[in-house]
Amino acid sequence: MSTSPATVTPRPAPGAAHDSATASAPASNFLRVIVADDRRTNKYGGRVVTRFPPEPNGYLHYGHAKSICLNFGLAAENNGVCHLRYDDTNPTKEDVEYEESIADSVRWLGFDWGPHRYHASDYYDRLYDFAEWFIGQGLAYVDSQSAAEVRASRGTLTQAGAASPYRERPVAENLDLFRRMRTGEFPDGAHVLRLKIDMASPNLNMRDPAIYRIRHAPHHRTGDKWCIYPLYDYTHCISDALERITHSICTLEFQDHRPLYDWVLEKLADGGLLLRPLPQQFEFARLNLTYVVLSKRRLIELVTRGDVDGWDDPRMPTLVGARRRGFTPEGFKLFAERIGVSKSDSWIDMSVLEDCMREDLNARAERRIAVLDPVRLVIDNYPEGRTEECYAPNHPQRPELGRRALPFSRELWIEREDFMEQPPKGYFRLSPGAEARLRYAYIVRCVGCVKDAAGNVTTVHCTYDPDTRSGTAGADARKVKGNLHWLSAGHAQQAEVRLYDRLFAVPFPGARLPWGVPAEGAAAVPEVATPEAGHAVAVAGDEDEAPEIVERNYLDDLNPDSKRVITAWVEPAVLAAATGESVQFERHGYFVADLKDHAPGRPVFNRTVTLRDSRERRAGP
Ligand code: ATP
Ligand code: MG
């Protein structure tokens, strides 16, 4: 079980400095300890060089944000650098479009790789030369078995693998075949180059892993130059060493690959082909988040099926989607800090991420008024044709942001849910005979309502007390519990508002967990970190295995109500919002002026997150 240091990270007070993630001293974690030790012992001469190595085969998601904050963060804290390296060893799946989007997302999160933008394909020549060197040392051979034969002879966890009949090929023959592989003489799959390590190793990765395969496919950067491509395990460690990476941080599934990582680099360093000290690999638990899926394959499926409106749909857990949703880089940094890093897999509840966004937005977003579900309110004793200005602060904790005028008049819009003809006990808003404050304006008393033939309320009637205007002497003399927002009907403007909710309706989309289906209210689900627990809790079961996600189709768990588009009334100041600007619509939540569709005179807002967890909100007053 992991106890993430996030438990001890103090929560910044609302309205604290914007960069709340870095404002408080960061809690330590095992990676920070390792890096600090290596600096103290001068292992790398004080250098700290990390890298973020995305495969350019899709858009970055929330999980990548964790890795980015970790790698760039560790480097920044130690006056080091973090390289952006595209792991582009798979010629057929990769694309320049993805590369640019990846760079944009890293930059958006606020990180900078300086001149250190690299591609694994930059090293194809070196990798090839090193492969010839391995052959020359008798440490690699060309295997001419079929893929199925190679697989079948690999053995199992309890059984040693069987040597390939080609394992003892003479060096000269291996070299000749490998060169001919390169010149394109053989079809895909005819041969592979394998390292000669140990077919009886208890670690399957050490049983003569393949390091080159034939692939007659053009590469988006090297074109037709190559028809053989190096495999990940071979490429990654050498790329790290060539870039003089010090700490190579990856997710837990690579733990069993570490002996191979070290074997390749040690051999090359012993042979004088690489400089010491060599980089070292460390593993951390990947981010698993409830109510979304974080796998490129599934994200691609959602886009191609049309379940979402593209990669940057605000419901998508991609970073381009997050940005359009109004999530902030600072919120992600706060999140990364709060969840910490651990060495065992865990699930984080989506509400932890949402809370981080709320905290950041609470500090930065100006307040505005919007009525999302309007009903008309008429103040019978307010003179017709009169307008006065009420003043609302732009931010309750930041007076330096000033205030703006809200026109007040006889006819207003209020929220439909702020009036009830027959209220339940404890309802403090408007109902016949009841009093409530119109925020920043007057106390009104409800005198009745008008309904249409179907029984729907069309107008609420009130009278106001002229002596209760907010900000005037004696305004607070009379106490009322309800405090409602409103807009002058003659001044309000229309805006398109997109109410986004979670993409999936259940915490573990598609999950039929090994210990039972997560039925409503049942305890048979993995423990999930919640804002209350405040930290990651390990899932029962295998260290590096997430709950078995099989059997059910995750697509059946999509939330049918994840997007609702409405036309809302907004105060005039909302029209001045810049594209991408976040505001708080009072009592509703945080909204952002849509990056694509918002335009002057045609406001379009996306709901980023409600003020509180909607499940809480439903239960509350
Ligand atoms: P996916 O499984 O979604 O395809 P990936 O691991 O293949 O993701 P890469 O582009 O290879 O994606 O990952 C780039 C870096 O981001 C790697 O170092 C990887 O460990 C890290 N990463 C990917 N997913 C997560 C995650 N959920 N949590 C933390 N780090 C992640
Ligand atoms: Mg990958």
Side-chain angles (χ1 to χ4, degrees), residues 416 419-424 427 430-432 446 448-451 455 457:
R416 184 165 289 278
F419 171 79
M420 280 184 96
E421 200 176 11
Q422 280 158 344
Y427 183 83
L430 291 173
S431 55
C446 180
C449 68
V450 177
K451 290 189 274 190
V457 175

Side-chain angles (χ1 to χ4, degrees), residues 244-303:
R244 309 292 333 270
I245 299 297
T246 56
H247 301 82
S248 177
I249 298 160
C250 59
T251 43
L252 284 175
E253 62 272 25
F254 291 100
Q255 199 164 345
D256 291 343
H257 298 237
R258 195 190 328 133
L260 177 56
Y261 183 104
D262 292 337
W263 188 94
V264 170
L265 296 190
E266 288 293 339
K267 292 287 180 217
L268 289 169
D270 286 347
L273 295 170
L274 290 177
L275 291 173
R276 293 183 188 275
L278 294 168
Q280 250 193 291
Q281 175 183 305
F282 300 95
E283 307 86 17
F284 73 102
R286 62 192 295 117
L287 172 67
N288 296 310
L289 200 59
T290 59
Y291 295 98
V292 287
V293 290
L294 293 181
S295 117
K296 283 181 207 146
R297 190 174 54 75
R298 288 185 170 175
L299 297 179
I300 288 170
E301 196 172 12
L302 293 171
V303 171

Side-chain angles (χ1 to χ4, degrees), residues 342-375:
S342 80
K343 276 171 112 27
S344 58
D345 264 314
S346 61
W347 281 82
I348 303 292
D349 195 79
M350 179 57 95
S351 60
V352 178
L353 177 62
E354 291 168 345
D355 270 345
C356 290
M357 297 303 162
R358 283 187 190 102
E359 276 185 43
D360 182 54
L361 289 168
N362 178 43
R364 69 175 66 243
E366 291 202 358
R367 274 46 172 175
R368 295 289 182 264
I369 306 288
V371 176
L372 303 187
D373 184 12
V375 68

